[in-house]
Amino acid sequence: MQTTSQLHPTYYFSSRSSIRSNGRMKLRGWNSSQLSFNGRGQSLRFLTPIRKTRLFVISNADDGHAYAPVIEEDINTNHAPSSEPETFFSKWSPPKYLWRGLSVLVLAGQVIIRTLKGKVHWRNTLQQLERVGPKSVGVCLLTSAFVGMAFTIQFVREFTRLGLNRSVGGVLALAFSRELSPVVTSIVVAGRIGSAFAAELGTMQVSEQTDTLRVLGSNPVDYLVTPRVIASSLALPFLTLMCFTVGMASSALLADSVYGISINIILDSAQRALRSWDIISAMIKSQVFGMIISIVSCAWGVTTMGGAKGVGESTTSAVVISLVGIFMADFALSYCFFQGAGDSLKNCV
């Protein structure tokens, strides 16, 4: 014959008194943290937090009956640790600009490693190369032509007064090759291509398409980031050379047609002033600028949060940071490439 143990509830209405039911359950007061259940042939004892309850009786004006709302206070009376102790860094999160800046460095390292290992999606790279190169030629050449003509107006006016007409071509050639062509081309590409990169990857990030690539077994860095970085690094040097050529041609035409300085004089002066290192430095600069534009734009895209608003903010921020990075890198590279006193204009006077 089997017997079963039954547990009956005990109700408390004061802090010291208790009501027992059949002697099978015993609770020790409000201020005790021990709870014991006694059954036939077995006894269980364990610690439990005690919950204090305050009872207030308020008359109800509607039906005349009283109702008693219960207000519970959770107090841990057994002095057991409820959670881990809070530290200074438990609620601290890094600023957005900090972890985004670190993501640029991490992404750049991943691109370099994956490229050296040969894990590049070449079909996507060719598509991005066509997008960055041929489809950006028109706006780059147009911008370079008008920048060249604007600088020609300033140089020719001042140099003519000094009787240095033969130095105009050399000054324009040095200005275009060393600074104007790579910087202007990079600014145009940052506004056109960098914003597109950030918007595309940001939209893919907020719509979880990058997670889909991971589920399908494809690395998003190989498929999305590396092709864009390679395409920008290869296309910008050629765009810079084309912009340099168009800028010099527009300057020579304007000087000949408006100020009466022969095209042959300008071209001969440019040939005397230019050296091979000037062209090489312009290509190196533009390649570095292309890497900055693509990596910053992709990093800002893959760290986008907040839906459509976040995509817009990431796109704007990516272009701004890219331009700042271009100017900083231009200063650093110019300082490294062109130190000391120059003598390029000696042959143009």
Side-chain angles (χ1 to χ4, degrees):
M1 181 176 182
Q2 299 179 354
T3 61
T4 60
S5 292
Q6 297 182 357
L7 301 178
H8 299 275
T10 300
Y11 303 93
Y12 291 89
F13 298 93
S14 65
S15 62
R16 294 294 181 184
S17 61
S18 63
I19 299 176
R20 299 181 182 178
S21 177
N22 295 334
R24 300 191 182 184
M25 184 174 68
K26 183 179 179 181
L27 290 158
R28 296 177 57 188
W30 283 114
N31 297 326
S32 174
S33 60
Q34 295 184 355
L35 179 65
S36 62
F37 297 93
N38 294 326
R40 296 179 181 178
Q42 59 182 357
S43 176
L44 299 175
R45 184 182 295 271
F46 51 88
L47 297 177
T48 180
I50 304 302
R51 173 175 293 179
K52 289 187 177 182
T53 304
R54 293 183 181 179
L55 183 66
F56 297 91
V57 179
I58 304 173
S59 60
N60 191 347
D62 296 335
D63 54 3
H65 297 286
Y67 73 98
V70 178
I71 301 177
E72 295 183 352
E73 297 179 356
D74 293 335
I75 300 177
N76 191 0
T77 59
N78 57 3
H79 304 289
S82 58
S83 61
E84 297 181 356
E86 294 184 357
T87 60
F88 175 75
F89 294 100
S90 60
K91 295 182 179 181
W92 181 82
S93 59
K96 193 173 184 179
Y97 65 88
L98 179 60
W99 61 265
R100 272 191 159 176
L102 294 177
S103 68
V104 172
L105 300 178
V106 173
L107 195 62
Q110 290 181 347
V111 169
I112 294 173
I113 293 174
R114 307 295 287 186
T115 304
L116 294 177
K117 290 183 178 180
K119 297 181 178 181
V120 181
H121 196 279
W122 294 110
R123 181 178 179 182
N124 197 10
T125 302
L126 293 177
Q127 294 177 354
Q128 297 299 328
L129 186 62
E130 178 186 6
R131 181 183 184 185
V132 177
K135 293 185 178 180
S136 301
V137 170
V139 63
C140 289
L141 296 184
L142 187 64
T143 304
S144 179
F146 281 98
V147 169
M149 288 187 290
F151 270 81
T152 302
I153 293 174
Q154 303 301 327
F155 286 149
V156 170
R157 289 179 66 252
E158 302 301 328
F159 278 56
T160 302
R161 292 179 182 179
L162 298 175
L164 299 175
N165 293 339
R166 292 186 175 274
S167 300
V168 174
V171 173
L172 288 175
L174 293 177
F176 267 98
S177 62
R178 294 181 179 180
E179 298 296 334
L180 290 180
S181 293
V183 173
V184 170
T185 304
S186 301
I187 291 174
V188 174
V189 172
R192 184 183 182 276
I193 301 299
S195 59
F197 287 171
E200 288 178 357
L201 297 185
T203 304
M204 295 181 69
Q205 179 68 23
V206 298
S207 60
E208 299 181 354
Q209 296 182 34
T210 55
D211 297 333
T212 305
L213 289 175
R214 294 187 181 93
V215 172
L216 296 176
S218 178
N219 192 333
V221 177
D222 299 342
Y223 188 79
L224 299 175
V225 181
T226 305
R228 286 170 167 80
V229 175
I230 294 176
S232 300
S233 301
L234 294 179
L236 254 73
F238 294 99
L239 289 176
T240 300
L241 289 178
M242 297 175 66
C243 288
F244 170 74
T245 304
V246 172
M248 286 299 302
S250 62
S251 299
L253 290 174
L254 181 65
D256 185 25
S257 60
V258 177
Y259 296 100
I261 301 177
S262 175
I263 295 178
N264 295 328
I265 295 176
I266 292 180
L267 295 181
D268 181 69
S269 176
Q271 184 179 1
R272 291 173 180 273
L274 279 179
R275 297 178 180 177
S276 59
W277 174 243
D278 296 326
I279 305 299
I280 295 174
S281 64
M283 297 184 69
I284 294 175
K285 280 186 176 183
S286 59
Q287 193 168 21
V288 173
F289 297 161
M291 294 180 64
I292 292 175
I293 294 170
S294 56
I295 292 177
V296 170
S297 300
C298 292
W300 255 244
V302 298
T303 55
T304 300
M305 296 182 295
K309 182 179 179 181
V311 173
E313 293 177 352
S314 296
T315 303
T316 305
S317 180
V319 174
V320 173
I321 299 300
S322 297
L323 295 178
V324 174
I326 287 170
F327 296 140
M328 294 174 63
D330 181 53
F331 165 74
L333 293 175
S334 297
Y335 184 79
C336 294
F337 292 161
F338 308 105
Q339 292 184 354
D343 56 353
S344 298
L345 295 176
K346 286 184 177 180
N347 299 325
C348 301
V349 179

